[in-house]
Amino acid sequence: MNAMRLARTGSTVLRGIRCASTIPHAHTTINGQGSVIPLSNVEAQWEVLSNADKVATALQLEDIQKKDWKELSLQEKKAIYYVAFGPHGPRTPHNPPGTAMKIIAGTLAIVTVSALAFKGIRSQGGEPPRTITKEWQEASNDIAIKQKADPISGIASEGYKGKGFVTADK
């Protein structure tokens, strides 16, 4: 709430982070206890900082960015990157860790239950229909040839070498 009020009075945008440009002592980052937050520890303390402390940290990093990038330390570069692109605010992960394994386990469980249900239903079925037997399908081929079914490229065409209607092995 306090940060929003500060952002309305006079603000600049630091890579998606609103920060007030009118905060006194912007060069030092001070937490609620009055101690300076080291830049090497920004990642660990970002979630527990108040909004005013986050704004002050962002301002400090904004001032640091005005320096030559070759002169910045690795810790300063990491802190700048974390504040600008870290997993906080709109970049907070939506799914907690372990969600992928739950999805995989759930999918495997559903597939297993479906396979068991399919096998159970198939085992309760009766004899296959008589039109699936090999003899019936061969008789269907003979009838199709007599009736000249599909005479251009099908079973009644000259030189046809396909199986016709025969799909059963037995």
Side-chain angles (χ1 to χ4, degrees), residues 104-116:
I104 291 170
T107 303
L108 289 175
I110 289 172
V111 168
T112 302
V113 168
S114 299
L116 291 173

Side-chain angles (χ1 to χ4, degrees), residues 70-160:
K70 295 175 185 173
E71 296 175 7
L72 295 180
S73 69
L74 183 62
Q75 291 177 348
E76 290 171 335
K77 290 178 183 178
K78 285 182 179 180
I80 291 168
Y81 183 83
Y82 181 81
V83 170
F85 301 109
H88 50 81
R91 291 182 185 88
T92 303
H94 293 286
N95 297 326
T99 303
M101 288 307 296
K102 289 179 185 177
I103 291 172
I104 291 170
T107 303
L108 289 175
I110 289 172
V111 168
T112 302
V113 168
S114 299
L116 291 173
F118 178 77
K119 190 170 185 166
I121 292 170
R122 285 285 285 200
S123 69
Q124 297 300 317
E127 290 292 318
R130 59 187 176 144
T131 58
I132 295 181
T133 63
K134 188 170 186 176
E135 294 81 24
W136 186 281
Q137 292 171 355
E138 288 173 348
S140 296
N141 279 348
D142 294 338
I143 293 172
I145 290 170
K146 287 179 187 174
Q147 293 180 349
K148 298 190 188 283
D150 199 4
I152 296 175
S153 63
I155 194 166
S157 64
E158 293 181 25
Y160 179 75

Side-chain angles (χ1 to χ4, degrees), residues 47-68:
E47 293 300 321
V48 295
L49 291 177
S50 68
N51 287 339
D53 292 339
K54 289 178 183 179
V55 169
T57 303
L59 282 174
Q60 177 186 4
L61 294 173
E62 186 180 87
D63 288 342
I64 290 172
Q65 289 183 55
K66 293 177 183 174
K67 297 179 187 176
D68 185 15

